[in-house]
Amino acid sequence: QVQLQESGPGLVKPSQTLSLTCTVSGGSISSGGYYWSWIRQHPGKGLEWIGYIYYSGSTYYNPSLKSRVTISVDTSKNQFSLKLSSVTAADTAVYYCARRIAARPHFDYWGQGTLVTVSS
Amino acid sequence: QSVLTQPPSVSAAPGQKVTISCSGSSSNIGNNYVSWYQQLPGTAPKLLIYENNKRPSGIPDRFSGSKSGTSATLGITGLQTGDEADYYCGTWDSSLSALWVFGGGTKLTVL
C-alpha cells in the first residue's frame, strides 16, 4: 500500500520561501510510471493543482504559480519536494502531496496534508 | 472562480439518491477523462471515480459517474450519514494554459 507523508514548517514569513517534502513509502519513485504531485487547499476553499514531477525530473506547473514554484525529486530518499518563493498570506493553505498514474488522469493516493500559514 | 462548475451544495435524506453536476468545456471535460474525489471533514481527498465512471477497489457501487459532452455527473444512491462530505470533480485542461483543474466542490448534506 502506497503512503505519502508531507513534512515541513507550519509557519513561513511573508516574502520567504515555503519548502515542503513528501516521503513516499510502499513504492519506489524511481520505478517510473507516476507523476508526483502537489495540490493545495486554501482554508474553506476548493483544491488547486500546483504541479507535478516525473521521476526523470520532467515538471509540469500551474501557469498561475509557475514563476514561483519548483518541484524536485530525490530518488535516493524516495522523496519529492515543493518550493514556493515570495510567499504572501494568500499562500496560506493545506498542502497535499499526491500520486498520479502517468497513463491515467487521476490522483489515486494522497498524503494527509499539512497546513502552512504565512504570517510574520 | 473554478474552471469546472459545481453546485455549492446538495442535500437529500438518508436512503435517497443525489446527483452532483460538473460543467466544463471542450478543452477539459469535453476531451479528457473526469475523476471525482470525496473529502470527509478534516481529511484528505479520496479518489471516488476515475476515467468518468470507474470505481477504485473498495468504493461501493452506490457511487457512480457519467459524462456527456462537456459535463459530468456523480451519482450517490442509498445515502448514508457517512456520505456527508465535500465532493470535487477534476480533469486535465488542455488549453494553451495546460493544467489540471478541479471544480469548486459540492457540500453534500444528508438530512
Side-chain angles (χ1 to χ4, degrees):
Chain A
Q1 180 80 345
V2 174
Q3 292 186 315
L4 294 86
Q5 179 68 58
E6 306 88 350
S7 60
L11 181 64
V12 181
K13 288 182 167 49
S15 80
Q16 293 191 342
T17 296
L18 177 160
S19 296
L20 295 174
T21 296
C22 182
T23 300
V24 179
S25 58
S28 172
I29 285 181
S30 58
S31 65
Y34 305 102
Y35 290 114
W36 302 96
S37 315
W38 289 99
I39 295 163
R40 70 180 182 179
Q41 186 171 34
H42 294 103
K45 302 295 184 182
L47 302 169
E48 179 182 31
W49 175 72
I50 297 171
Y52 43 53
I53 189 167
Y54 197 59
Y55 82 101
S56 61
S58 298
T59 53
Y60 303 83
Y61 298 137
N62 187 323
S64 69
L65 298 169
K66 187 174 183 177
S67 63
R68 298 193 293 131
V69 171
T70 302
I71 298 177
S72 59
V73 64
D74 186 337
T75 55
S76 68
K77 295 182 179 179
N78 222 33
Q79 296 175 332
F80 62 104
S81 299
L82 168 70
K83 291 189 185 298
L84 181 65
S85 64
S86 306
V87 298
T88 69
D91 294 308
T92 293
V94 174
Y95 287 76
Y96 296 100
C97 57
R99 186 185 85 166
R100 178 199 147 173
I101 302 174
R104 296 193 163 181
H106 56 268
F107 300 98
D108 60 347
Y109 287 98
W110 296 65
Q112 66 184 28
T114 187
L115 173 64
V116 179
T117 301
V118 178
S119 175
S120 55
Chain B
Q1 193 81 0
S2 301
V3 172
L4 305 180
T5 302
Q6 296 182 234
S9 64
V10 295
S11 62
Q16 296 299 303
K17 173 183 178 179
V18 71
T19 60
I20 297 172
S21 61
C22 176
S23 178
S25 68
S26 59
S27 67
N28 42 66
I29 292 178
N31 283 286
N32 294 289
Y33 284 121
V34 176
S35 49
W36 289 91
Y37 304 86
Q38 177 194 58
Q39 187 175 32
L40 296 169
T43 69
K46 172 185 172 183
L47 179 65
L48 205 58
I49 296 288
Y50 68 97
E51 293 179 5
N52 302 333
N53 55 18
K54 298 177 182 176
R55 284 176 287 105
S57 174
I59 301 299
D61 59 6
R62 301 188 298 108
F63 295 91
S64 64
S66 63
K67 188 184 100 167
S68 179
T70 59
S71 293
T73 302
L74 173 70
I76 311 173
T77 60
L79 277 172
Q80 302 174 1
T81 55
D83 296 333
E84 278 208 348
D86 293 322
Y87 292 84
Y88 294 91
C89 57
T91 187
W92 181 255
D93 189 303
S94 45
S95 62
L96 284 177
S97 301
L99 76 165
W100 186 274
V101 292
F102 291 99
T106 298
K107 169 67 177 176
L108 168 63
T109 300
V110 181
L111 303 168

